[in-house]
Each structure stands twice: as structure tokens, then as C-alpha cells.
Amino acid sequence: MPPETDRILSDFVDAWNAGRRPEVDTYLARAPDAERDALAGEIATFLAFAPAPDYDDAALEAIRAEPAVLAAAAALETPGGLWPQLLPRLRERAALTTGDLAARLVSTLGLRADREPKTRGYLEQLEAGALEPRGLSARLLDGLARVLEVPRSALEGAGAVAAPPAPALFRAEGAAADTLRADLDVIADALAAPAGSGWDDVDELFRGGAR
Amino acid sequence: MADEPEHLLLRRYHAARAQGNDPEAARVWERLTLRNFDRIKGLCATFRFAGGTGLPPHETGSAATEAYLRAIAMGAAFEAREIGQYRAALVRVVWNTCHDYGRKELRHEKRSRRLDTTWDDDGEGGPYDAALARYDEHLRAEAEEAAEAEAGREEAERLARWGIAQVRNDNYRTVLELTWFEKLDADAIAGRLGISVDNVYQRRRRGMIELEKILRAPRD
């Protein structure tokens, strides 16, 4: 092995351990062409198991300012979770418009062709963070994983990290509260139940939950 | 103020989940994964398909972003309790993501160069799955005699320690231990061992190559 490549690897390791946030590409660029892939493999081995550095405050602030980190942090505060960040990326990587994705989903899941517009509407809501992720069915996740060519596990957690929806507030006291409480229970049950005649297989996919 | 060590964050994540406090678990998981952002980014930059082709330069950043988001999503239900297992799971996420990114451009190449027999092209496996399986067996074998795990860096690095302990050459192993567990730089290691810095470079790299073979070895 050329000594220069030995040194480059060591320089990377030292910079990592010191929390200096070394850029892999910079170090790979220093290596001779014939050694570059081997060096990449060795850096990968180190990165796979190396302890995270003890970053100082400035380094942590810089990491927090990375777009991916900002996006993930924002996702934790919104009811849509990671879906508004993740779904458009996966869709665009698959070179699909929302309409294309809806069409592929309808076909993959064996739905009637006239369900496509409604499916598209739900997908748009999902990307906008306007759809409660806990309502997404297992069948939908299977279909999306197949169409987008990603492991289902990549999708499963996207909604689970979402902020819980804001609870409804009920402010009443004494007799007024007693009078209303029973009515509210009935209303809550009705809201939680699937709608009657308008509820179809697309609603079941996007709002039916795991059942 | 610097953040808590990784292994403590992982422990707090599990504690929050055990208490049913999912929002707190998500916050702690996000802090833990943030500490590993550079690892994710670096692993994307080292990714190679068969024949040594990496991701196109303009896609490495996008792949790192997606891998980071997928790593955050992994926090919905992460069961392993050792930080080494967490890192191995990150590797799996990164390699899955990079593979997904390259799928269209490199559809004709069925396997990544370094994923060889341990990598399921269409599945969710990772390059270190065989080592993890062997390590799980090792953990099970010693479970009865193991005392309750203690907090601390040494405990947190058990998977790496287990791998490095199998490096046969004493000189390489010593340099890896000083690098991994004491985070000494090359000059400090040279001073500690009374050898030249060039010698440290050489032992480090050869040790790393041996470690890579150990961790990527197919399961017996």
C-alpha cells in the first residue's frame, strides 16, 4: 500500500475523532486514482463502527443547520410527520408525478380506475402534511413501497414520529359539563367511525388505519 | 453545551418508549441521529456499486438527506439496545438508500461491489448482517454470566471491541484500540508506543483492512 494512502486514512480518522467534521470527498480526492475505491472502503469500515466525536457547540450548531436535519426536526413538530419530506423525494426519485403515482398505486392495488383522482387527492394531502399518518393502512404502505421501490420499513416510521394531533378542548363546569359530556362522547364515537355511504376503498386505504 | 454520549441517548430513548412517552422518545432519537449525521453523509460518499462506481456527485447530498430522514423514521420502533447495533442499522439504512438511488441508473448491475454474498439486492439486509448475527450468538452465549450492563463508553463500544479483539496481529490491534477507544491521534499513538508516525499510519490501515474482513465475513 502506498504510504500516502495510509496517511490519508489516518488523517481522516484523526479529524473525525477530533470532531472536525472531515469531508470524505476531500480525502478521497487526495488518494491516487488506483487507491481511491480501496480507501473509500476503509473509511466506510471506520465510519460504520467509530464512536461519534465529542462535537463542540459550534459543530453541533452547524449540524443542526444542515437542511436534512432542519427538515427532520420540523417533522417532529407537525402532525404529518416525515411524510411531507419523504414522499416527494421518493416520488421524484422514481420520476413520478403525483398523478403518475396515483395511477400506479391504483393499478398495483387492483382498485377501479375511477379511484385515481381520489387517490391523487389523498397523496397530495399526504405530501402537504394535511393527512393524519396514523390512518394509513398497511395495504397502502405495501403498495407505496412496491411502486416507489423502497423497503416498506422506510415508510413505516415516517408517520410514527409525527406530533400528536392537538387535542380538542372542552371547557365547561358543573351542570353544563354534565349535560354536555354524554353528548360529546356520542359525537366523538361518530367522528372516529368510518363514514357511511361515502366511505370507499380509497378512504379505507388512507384513513382506515392498520385494521 | 455538548450533547450527551450516544449510548446514554439510546438508553433514554428506550426508557421513554418503555414509559409510553413516544414524543420524548422521538425527540431523543432525533438528537441521537443528529450526532450521526456526518456518519450518514460520509457513508453515502464512500458507497460504491459493482465495478467501483459511486453515486453521481450531484446525488450524494440527496441520498444523504433521504438516508437521514429514513434513519429518523427508524426511531418509530428500534429494538436493539447497544450503540454498535444502532450504528450497524444506520449502515443498513444508508446502503439501502444509496442502492435505491442507483437502482435506475445501474439496474444492470445486480450487486454492489462490497456487498457480495451478505447483501440481498432487493431486500433490507446490510453489509454487516453476518457479523451482527454472529455477534448476537456471542451475546446469547454469554448472557447467563453477564452482569447487568454498566453505563460507560467501554460498555457502549462492545460491538467494535468484539470485532477489534479478533484482529490477530497484536500491533495492528493495539493501534486500533488506541484509535477507537481512546481516540488518540497518530502522533499520540506514536508517542505512546514508541514507534514512528508512518508506522502508525501503516498499522492503522492494515488493521482496518483486517477488521473489515472480520466484520464482513459470511456467517459460519
Side-chain angles (χ1 to χ4, degrees):
Chain A
M1 294 291 180
E4 180 57 18
T5 308
D6 292 354
R7 179 184 183 133
I8 295 168
L9 176 63
S10 260
D11 286 350
F12 180 86
V13 167
D14 288 342
W16 172 273
N17 281 342
R20 293 198 295 268
R21 306 192 64 206
E23 289 282 349
V24 169
D25 287 341
T26 305
Y27 290 79
L28 292 181
R30 283 169 52 189
D33 290 347
E35 286 291 307
R36 196 162 292 140
D37 288 340
L39 179 62
E42 289 145 22
I43 290 176
T45 300
F46 174 73
L47 287 176
F49 294 99
D54 298 322
Y55 293 117
D56 62 20
D57 291 347
L60 280 174
E61 276 311 303
I63 295 172
R64 286 192 190 101
E66 297 276 359
V69 176
L70 287 172
L76 297 181
E77 305 301 325
T78 56
L82 289 169
W83 281 104
Q85 306 293 336
L86 203 51
L87 185 55
R89 286 183 168 278
L90 297 176
R91 181 174 56 69
E92 284 161 20
R93 178 153 56 72
L96 298 172
T97 64
T98 312
D100 295 335
L101 178 57
R104 297 276 296 274
L105 207 50
V106 163
S107 164
T108 299
L109 296 177
L111 303 179
R112 280 177 16 207
D114 64 0
R115 300 292 199 240
E116 203 176 301
K118 189 167 184 176
T119 301
R120 177 181 175 167
Y122 270 128
L123 288 171
E124 286 170 350
Q125 287 183 53
L126 195 55
E127 291 195 4
L131 196 62
E132 166 60 62
R134 274 162 274 231
L136 304 181
S137 66
R139 187 174 170 223
L140 174 67
L141 294 183
D142 282 336
L144 282 172
R146 218 174 311 154
V147 173
L148 296 169
E149 296 189 309
V150 293
R152 184 178 147 165
S153 61
L155 305 175
E156 282 172 334
V161 298
L169 291 177
F170 169 48
R171 288 179 180 162
E173 292 180 353
D178 291 340
T179 305
L180 279 173
R181 186 166 289 118
D183 294 341
L184 285 172
D185 285 344
V186 172
I187 293 168
D189 288 345
L191 287 172
S197 58
W199 185 270
D200 62 20
D201 46 3
V202 181
D203 295 312
E204 187 67 27
L205 275 180
F206 285 88
R207 290 164 56 200
R211 66 174 177 269
Chain B
M1 191 177 73
D3 207 347
E4 292 175 76
E6 290 172 289
H7 67 279
L8 292 182
L9 289 171
L10 184 57
R11 189 171 298 183
R12 286 186 50 192
Y13 160 79
H14 281 298
R17 285 193 68 204
Q19 292 164 2
N21 189 347
D22 290 344
E24 173 64 8
R27 278 191 291 272
V28 174
W29 184 264
E30 193 259 344
R31 283 171 60 192
L32 174 62
T33 308
L34 180 147
R35 294 281 305 277
N36 285 276
F37 176 79
D38 283 353
R39 187 189 313 277
I40 291 168
K41 190 175 156 193
L43 286 168
C44 285
T46 61
F47 179 81
R48 295 291 186 274
F49 290 97
T53 311
L55 289 174
H58 66 278
E59 291 210 326
T60 306
S62 298
T65 296
E66 185 179 318
Y68 183 78
L69 295 172
R70 284 163 74 159
I72 291 287
M74 195 167 69
F78 188 74
E79 300 298 334
R81 291 176 177 269
E82 285 198 26
I83 204 68
Q85 294 167 310
Y86 166 77
R87 290 180 193 139
L90 285 186
V91 172
R92 190 178 303 133
V93 164
V94 168
W95 287 71
N96 272 326
T97 305
C98 290
H99 189 265
D100 291 343
Y101 257 81
R103 194 187 299 272
K104 286 192 182 300
E105 294 182 38
L106 299 164
R107 205 178 276 279
H108 61 288
E109 291 182 302
K110 291 295 183 187
R111 290 183 184 280
S112 296
R113 179 177 62 85
R114 290 193 308 279
L115 301 183
D116 49 58
T117 56
T118 68
W119 183 255
D120 176 1
D121 194 38
D122 295 316
E124 299 176 32
Y128 301 108
D129 284 358
L132 282 171
R134 282 182 286 131
Y135 179 62
D136 283 342
E137 286 175 3
H138 165 78
L139 286 181
R140 277 196 292 275
E142 69 169 19
E144 289 181 7
E145 61 193 68
E148 188 169 335
E150 294 177 7
R153 191 175 294 279
E154 184 173 333
E155 187 70 18
E157 302 301 338
R158 283 173 63 182
L159 175 57
R161 198 173 286 279
W162 172 80
I164 290 173
Q166 296 179 62
V167 173
R168 290 183 182 166
N169 185 298
D170 292 344
N171 292 334
Y172 302 169
R173 192 173 59 248
T174 301
V175 168
L176 290 183
E177 286 170 348
L178 293 173
T179 299
W180 243 267
F181 307 121
E182 297 194 34
K183 292 187 177 177
L184 295 186
D185 65 19
D187 288 339
I189 292 173
R192 173 83 70 92
L193 299 180
I195 59 178
S196 70
V197 176
D198 282 347
N199 211 329
V200 174
Y201 295 156
Q202 187 185 61
R203 291 183 188 185
R204 238 184 196 170
R205 187 166 189 219
R206 291 182 180 177
M208 210 90 84
I209 291 168
E210 196 172 330
L211 180 62
E212 184 176 18
K213 285 179 186 163
I214 290 165
L215 294 173
R216 288 180 182 277
R219 199 174 174 183
D220 296 331

